[in-house]
Amino acid sequence: MSAQPDPVVGRLIEGRYRVEAIIARGGMSTVYRATDIRLDRTVALKVMQRSLAEDPGFVERFDREAKSAARLSHPNVVGVYDQGSYDGLVFLVMEYVPGHTLRDVLRVHGALEPLRALGVVDPVLRGLAAAHAAGFVHRDVKPENVLVTATGHIKVADFGLARAITASPSNAATRGVLIGTVAYLSPEQVETGQADGRSDVYGTGILLF
């Protein structure tokens, strides 16, 4: 039996973003490759799962965090271009980074040699340092949020998204985030839900390990 086609692929979101294909699917969202027909450029469109989109509190936080993340510009941070809600979809428009996640790289190659591992962590820390200097905390540093281009350039993705999701501890989907990424969370995040720049450094240390 053939798989059901994704209902978002092929749609034109807000009359601007033509969705072309799925890039990745996770517990909280699905990321698509899309074309911004107004600027004629390829973008990544992250669409949040419906249970989150139906939570007004989440939508408000998501909008606020996305606007903040859009002000962050650094070569090692995935750029945020736009955000919005359309026909029941809550979405984030980001820089399209062709390549793989660090998790994909580790699945194929296994543990990296020390020099190569440091070559990955150094740009991650540079991106995080720029974010911390601007007052941002990532809160969810993990291999899935580190993108590696075909030329080896490193970019950190999803600034602010963890904060928007985890702000409602009663949300069942939120509990799934903690379970899914607990190996990279600092003790204070697990115990109190609070995080600052040191929490990101801790997560990066686990990433390196």
Side-chain angles (χ1 to χ4, degrees), residues 14 48 52-53 55-71 80 82-86 89-92 159-161 163-165:
E14 283 196 334
M48 305 309 298
L52 291 171
D55 177 355
F58 166 78
V59 174
E60 180 182 352
R61 292 187 303 275
F62 180 82
D63 290 349
R64 184 171 61 248
E65 295 295 332
K67 289 173 183 175
S68 295
R71 298 197 298 268
V80 173
D82 194 9
Q83 56 81 29
S85 302
Y86 177 80
L89 303 177
V90 173
F91 64 90
L92 186 68
F159 267 90
L161 187 56
R163 179 174 180 174
I165 293 174

Side-chain angles (χ1 to χ4, degrees), residues 144-164:
E144 289 81 358
N145 285 336
V146 176
L147 306 184
V148 185
T149 71
T151 59
H153 190 70
I154 305 294
K155 284 182 175 279
V156 182
D158 281 354
F159 267 90
L161 187 56
R163 179 174 180 174

